[in-house]
Amino acid sequence: MVVILDVGRTMCLASAGGGARFGDAVKAVTMLLQQKILYGKKDEIGVVLFGTAETKNTLATALGDGEQYQHVTVLHEIGPATVDVLRSVMALDCSVGGATADFIDALVVAMDMIVRKTGKKRYQRRVFLVTDAGSPANASDLQVVVQQFNNMEAHLNVIGIDFQVDGCTPPPDATASQHLRSKVKTDNERLLHKIADNVNGVVIPVSKALELMSYFRSKSVLQRSIFRGRLEISPIYHIAVWSFIKTTKQSFPTLKRISSVSAGSATPGSMQVRQERTLQSLQDPDANVSREEAIKGYKYGKTLVPFSKVDEAALKLSTERCMRMIGFTEASSVQRYHYMGPTEMMVGWPGDTHALTAFSALVRAMAETDRVGIFRYVKTKNSAPKLAVCIPHVKHDLDCLYVQLLPFAENLRSYQFPPMNPTNSATKKAYIPSPEQLVSAAKLITSFDLMTSAVNEDGEQVEDLKPKEVYNPVLQRFYQCVAQRALDPAHPISVVDPAIDKLVKPNERLVSQAAPALEAFAASFPLQKSEAAAKLEQRSYWRDQLQDAARDVTLDSYTGGSGAAGQKTPRRLSRDLAMDLSIEKLIASGVTAVGSVTPVKDFEEMMQRRDVDLVIDAVTQLRKRIMQLINDSIQDTYYGKTLECVVALRKGCVMEDEFQQFNTMLQDMRFQFENKTRNKFWQLVVEKGLSLIHNQECVDSPITPKDSAEYLGKPLAAAVVSDMPKAEEPGVEQLFDMIE
């Protein structure tokens, strides 16, 4: 690639925007070089100046007539883009130019550089011309230039400074020289547009070029297929397909360590830091162990279980590359939050007419029926099998399937939150939104619609934050700082670029439009200060005890005496009691058992603990407490408290998916109490409607809602009592999983 920069006399004039033309041109070339330094590691670039006071190029030297290719200077021959090249361009000013030169001559010099560098080898050849087209040009060699560009398959990009081809009329008070210069500039602009059209080039204004190059784009990677094989619809129906990466996470570039000692020496060299790792024996730390003698070990409790390569090979799952369809389901049954990885795009095998036709028919059938496919995905031989979904995507020129990985059952996590579904009987009334709140929330979401939040140059409302036009602001900021430090290692961290700052701040126009919806939403969901914190007893901390140690301890300081106006002063621990405190007592403050005084409260606190898992203990203890209260009750003394315990147990079992515990207890209670001594308590259970937990409450429950509803009403002999599944003994694979 060769960059041609105009440094002629007209480039030192002021631009239409108020700035200097030369400054905008140098900035555009500088940003282009920064892009190549950061991302174009394999790109080679040359820099040519035309309009310079001196002449320095091989064509002028070879001809030696002093008339052709004058005032054209090769600043840098074609080579890797380096910081030195960038510094030399940034150091340019108007003093290097001031002469009149022909941009056609500069194009010929640039093509000569490319030909001498590439010859007949396969390269992507490109020329960037940055000019205001203010100097006269000789169009006699235009056809030769165009033919040479086409023969070389080179591309021409013209970055125009103050280009105004349409309506480029000088002001009424313009001088004769301004009229002449405006005519020359207009003719040259039309000439450059003509050249660009003939060589498949493009002409863009410098403002647009600066906007496009203000973003440090992600590194361009050659698109390669990651899977080539058969999509197995059935044992007899296969389609040949390719799969490509569509989207992936852009991570920070890896940073290399360098030796500070080498950097400060006279001959720093590569300054590379090499790491060497050795293995030592626990019995003899001075003896090294070779990697061939070492084997893996996995902790099982406090025991370290050895696991050799032979064991690993024997237990490793052997798989073959495949895309085997499991079945089709409705698109609504696979939610976006189930996606677990980067998106792939599957297409029919290029060049295979039968495969493309069959694949297109499959995609369109899935799109018309609103279905997605679930399939087993093994990319490489002996790799772990994945569960994936293929989603149809139909365009006017492409039929494809988007592929996303799905979670297995062990990948799902069930977090215990209070139910918020209005149709759920366990949902608290405080959590059920009112119709007004639902309307205000819907208006708030609609007011932040991005499809009409931006305004284009014509004043039309268009989509904002298009993925193709938005770049990661963190990466942009990182590369901005890298570029500054590369030029000046002592450069301080500068302020955030306005283009980057715009990406991280809300759209002011959108926020102002959504202000009424925000106010309505805030009014629908008023916030009030909780009084629960004010009712908590004052806690005592170690620092308080140290401060109080020097004070006299009185009876009132322990029991809480009366203060001013008859108010009680907060209690303060006695010195002996403070000395008796220990870390163990402070830590062991959570409920660990279901008592007989407040069993429901104890049960709920045990279920809510997150420092230790007490769900099974809480359920088991409350079951025992329920049976104890029933049997110890004198007539119906404890029936009310026991019924509250049954309600709490059922609610907790539904939340924690412990349906087996409750259903088994309910069946035992019916067998023991119905039509017997404690029949009155069983009738309270029936009146309360505390039936079996069904599969709409817990997915794994074998009880249907119909069976649950009919269970309490049928006689005991006719009642449906499903056999509760028993815990299976762990198999060999499960034991190995536990060892790992």
Side-chain angles (χ1 to χ4, degrees):
M1 184 179 75
V2 177
V3 178
I4 304 173
L5 176 60
D6 188 356
V7 295
R9 182 173 62 248
T10 58
M11 287 293 292
C12 295
L13 301 177
S15 65
R21 296 179 180 178
F22 187 81
D24 291 342
V26 171
K27 186 176 181 181
V29 176
T30 300
M31 299 178 75
L32 178 61
L33 288 173
Q34 287 179 352
Q35 298 275 352
K36 295 302 178 183
I37 292 174
L38 292 173
Y39 299 112
K41 302 293 184 180
K42 297 181 180 180
D43 293 350
E44 296 186 354
I45 189 170
V47 180
V48 175
L49 309 178
F50 73 97
T52 56
E54 60 180 12
T55 300
K56 182 183 176 183
N57 63 81
T58 56
L59 293 179
T61 304
L63 294 174
D65 56 3
E67 295 181 0
Q68 300 184 60
Y69 307 108
Q70 297 300 300
H71 306 293
V72 179
T73 299
V74 177
L75 184 64
H76 287 282
E77 290 287 349
I78 297 178
T82 62
V83 177
D84 294 334
V85 177
L86 180 60
R87 287 198 181 102
S88 63
V89 173
M90 295 181 66
L92 295 175
D93 55 28
C94 289
S95 61
V96 301
T100 300
D102 189 348
F103 64 80
I104 299 291
D105 291 344
L107 288 174
V108 175
V109 171
M111 286 189 292
D112 176 67
M113 294 171 60
I114 294 176
V115 170
R116 288 188 288 107
K117 180 67 178 180
T118 63
K120 295 183 179 180
K121 298 179 181 179
R122 295 187 61 182
Y123 280 92
Q124 289 183 356
R125 302 171 178 86
R126 190 177 297 275
V127 176
F128 280 84
L129 174 61
V130 185
T131 179
D132 67 343
S135 299
N138 183 7
S140 60
D141 298 333
L142 179 60
Q143 294 300 327
V144 177
V145 173
V146 172
Q147 186 65 33
Q148 186 67 15
F149 262 93
N150 292 329
N151 292 339
M152 294 167 49
E153 296 182 354
H155 299 277
L156 174 63
N157 293 338
V158 180
I159 299 178
I161 311 293
D162 284 349
F163 269 33
Q164 296 178 355
V165 175
D166 297 328
C168 183
T169 305
D173 56 347
T175 62
S177 61
Q178 288 177 326
H179 276 276
L180 178 60
R181 184 162 55 248
S182 298
K183 185 178 185 304
V184 170
K185 181 174 172 59
T186 303
D187 293 342
N188 288 344
E189 289 177 6
R190 292 196 178 98
L191 181 61
L192 286 172
H193 276 280
K194 182 179 179 180
I195 296 174
D197 293 339
N198 291 330
V199 299
N200 295 323
V202 63
V203 179
I204 58 174
V206 68
S207 58
K208 187 65 175 179
L210 292 175
E211 180 183 353
L212 293 175
M213 291 187 292
S214 62
Y215 299 103
F216 293 97
R217 289 166 176 75
S218 58
K219 183 178 179 180
S220 299
V221 180
L222 183 62
Q223 190 82 4
R224 289 189 175 93
S225 60
I226 60 174
F227 181 88
R228 296 187 184 186
R230 299 182 303 177
L231 175 61
E232 303 177 17
I233 308 298
S234 69
I236 60 173
Y237 184 43
H238 304 159
I239 303 176
V241 296
W242 284 16
S243 183
F244 300 87
I245 289 289
K246 177 66 175 176
T247 60
T248 186
K249 181 181 179 181
Q250 179 69 27
S251 58
F252 273 90
T254 56
L255 304 179
K256 296 182 179 179
R257 296 179 180 180
I258 62 173
S259 172
S260 59
V261 177
S262 299
S265 63
T267 56
S270 64
M271 298 182 292
Q272 183 179 359
V273 177
R274 291 189 297 270
Q275 294 182 348
E276 294 182 0
R277 296 182 180 181
T278 58
L279 303 177
Q280 280 81 30
S281 172
L282 291 176
Q283 290 74 20
D284 186 6
D286 296 332
N288 291 339
V289 179
S290 64
R291 294 191 177 274
E292 291 74 16
E293 298 174 334
I295 62 175
K296 295 180 181 179
Y298 296 90
K299 282 190 174 181
Y300 182 65
K302 295 183 178 180
T303 305
L304 195 63
V305 180
F307 200 70
S308 65
K309 292 184 179 180
V310 177
D311 298 331
E312 185 176 0
L315 296 174
K316 186 177 181 180
L317 177 64
S318 298
T319 57
E320 296 292 336
R321 295 176 67 250
C322 73
M323 274 188 179
R324 186 172 298 119
M325 191 68 70
I326 299 174
F328 297 91
T329 184
E330 295 181 357
S332 58
S333 61
V334 181
Q335 302 298 327
R336 283 185 175 269
Y337 55 79
H338 289 147
Y339 299 167
M340 293 189 63
T343 304
E344 299 179 20
M345 184 175 69
M346 188 195 311
V347 297
W349 193 287
D352 189 337
T353 305
H354 298 290
L356 292 172
T357 304
F359 186 81
S360 177
L362 174 65
V363 174
R364 292 178 179 271
M366 293 172 62
E368 291 176 3
T369 58
D370 195 24
R371 298 272 174 170
V372 296
I374 309 295
F375 64 95
R376 186 176 189 261
Y377 193 12
V378 181
K379 291 185 181 180
T380 58
K381 184 177 180 179
N382 292 332
S383 63
K386 305 292 184 181
L387 187 67
V389 58
C390 52
I391 306 161
H393 182 70
V394 179
K395 298 179 67 176
H396 68 281
D397 57 348
L398 176 66
D399 294 338
C400 67
L401 292 174
Y402 287 152
V403 177
Q404 265 287 350
L405 298 183
L406 295 179
F408 290 104
E410 57 266 22
N411 298 127
L412 297 174
R413 298 292 182 269
S414 178
Y415 295 99
Q416 291 78 28
F417 296 106
M420 299 184 66
N421 188 352
T423 61
N424 192 332
S425 59
T427 304
K428 294 183 179 180
K429 291 184 178 180
Y431 297 158
I432 300 177
S434 63
E436 293 78 10
Q437 290 175 332
L438 292 174
V439 171
S440 63
K443 290 183 178 179
L444 179 63
I445 295 173
T446 305
S447 64
F448 281 102
D449 185 7
L450 294 176
M451 296 304 295
T452 58
S453 60
V455 179
N456 61 12
E457 298 175 353
D458 299 330
E460 301 174 348
Q461 291 183 338
V462 295
E463 181 182 355
D464 194 12
L465 299 179
K466 293 183 179 179
K468 292 183 179 180
E469 300 176 358
V470 177
Y471 302 93
N472 189 332
V474 178
L475 286 174
Q476 308 309 316
R477 175 63 170 162
F478 171 76
Y479 285 122
Q480 181 191 46
C481 296
V482 168
Q484 293 171 348
R485 286 294 177 90
L487 296 173
D488 182 9
H491 193 286
I493 301 298
S494 61
V495 297
V496 181
D497 189 89
I500 301 175
D501 194 50
K502 182 181 178 181
L503 294 176
V504 298
K505 288 187 176 180
N507 187 328
E508 295 181 359
R509 178 176 174 274
L510 187 62
V511 173
S512 62
Q513 289 181 351
L518 282 169
E519 295 176 359
F521 184 81
S524 301
F525 295 88
L527 299 178
Q528 56 185 6
K529 188 175 181 180
S530 175
E531 300 179 358
K535 298 180 180 180
L536 295 177
E537 296 183 0
Q538 184 177 358
R539 296 180 179 180
S540 180
Y541 299 93
W542 283 106
R543 61 175 180 268
D544 300 330
Q545 307 308 321
L546 294 175
Q547 294 175 358
D548 296 343
R551 304 179 185 176
D552 293 332
V553 181
T554 63
L555 181 63
D556 290 341
S557 66
Y558 180 71
T559 61
S562 299
Q567 297 180 355
K568 289 187 177 182
T569 58
R571 292 195 306 170
R572 183 158 47 89
L573 294 176
S574 66
R575 184 179 304 170
D576 294 339
L577 185 58
M579 295 301 105
D580 188 51
L581 292 174
S582 64
I583 297 297
E584 289 75 11
K585 291 183 178 180
L586 292 175
I587 294 176
S589 58
V591 178
T592 58
V594 177
S596 60
V597 180
T598 56
V600 174
K601 181 180 179 182
D602 296 342
F603 172 75
E604 292 176 349
E605 291 186 4
M606 289 179 66
M607 297 283 283
Q608 294 173 1
R609 287 191 62 175
R610 291 295 176 263
D611 55 336
V612 62
D613 188 2
L614 297 178
V615 173
I616 300 299
D617 291 344
V619 172
T620 304
Q621 292 182 27
L622 186 58
R623 284 184 57 179
K624 294 180 179 179
R625 187 65 66 188
I626 289 172
M627 301 304 293
Q628 178 191 355
L629 290 174
I630 295 174
N631 294 323
D632 293 349
S633 176
I634 302 175
Q635 295 184 355
D636 58 353
T637 307
Y638 297 150
Y639 285 178
K641 177 188 288 189
T642 308
L643 192 63
E644 294 177 359
C645 294
V646 176
V647 173
L649 179 63
R650 191 182 193 282
K651 180 180 178 181
C653 289
V654 170
M655 293 179 60
E656 298 294 340
D657 205 19
E658 295 290 341
F659 62 90
Q660 181 181 348
Q661 296 272 6
F662 180 82
N663 290 351
T664 303
M665 187 201 72
L666 190 67
Q667 294 172 20
D668 293 342
M669 288 173 55
R670 181 171 189 178
F671 181 77
Q672 295 182 32
F673 302 144
E674 187 178 19
N675 299 325
K676 297 180 182 178
T677 308
R678 301 292 181 178
N679 182 63
K680 186 175 181 180
F681 176 77
W682 176 252
Q683 295 304 319
L684 293 176
V685 173
V686 174
E687 293 175 3
K688 193 70 174 178
L690 300 175
S691 187
L692 299 172
I693 298 175
H694 52 77
N695 52 25
Q696 286 191 358
E697 297 172 304
C698 293
V699 178
D700 296 332
S701 175
I703 307 299
T704 64
K706 180 180 179 182
D707 293 339
S708 177
E710 296 176 351
Y711 176 74
L712 298 177
K714 289 184 177 181
L716 180 60
V720 177
V721 181
S722 299
D723 295 330
M724 295 295 107
K726 298 182 179 180
E728 298 180 356
E729 293 294 331
V732 177
E733 295 183 359
Q734 287 80 3
L735 289 175
F736 276 111
D737 291 339
M738 295 168 62
I739 292 176
E740 292 181 358

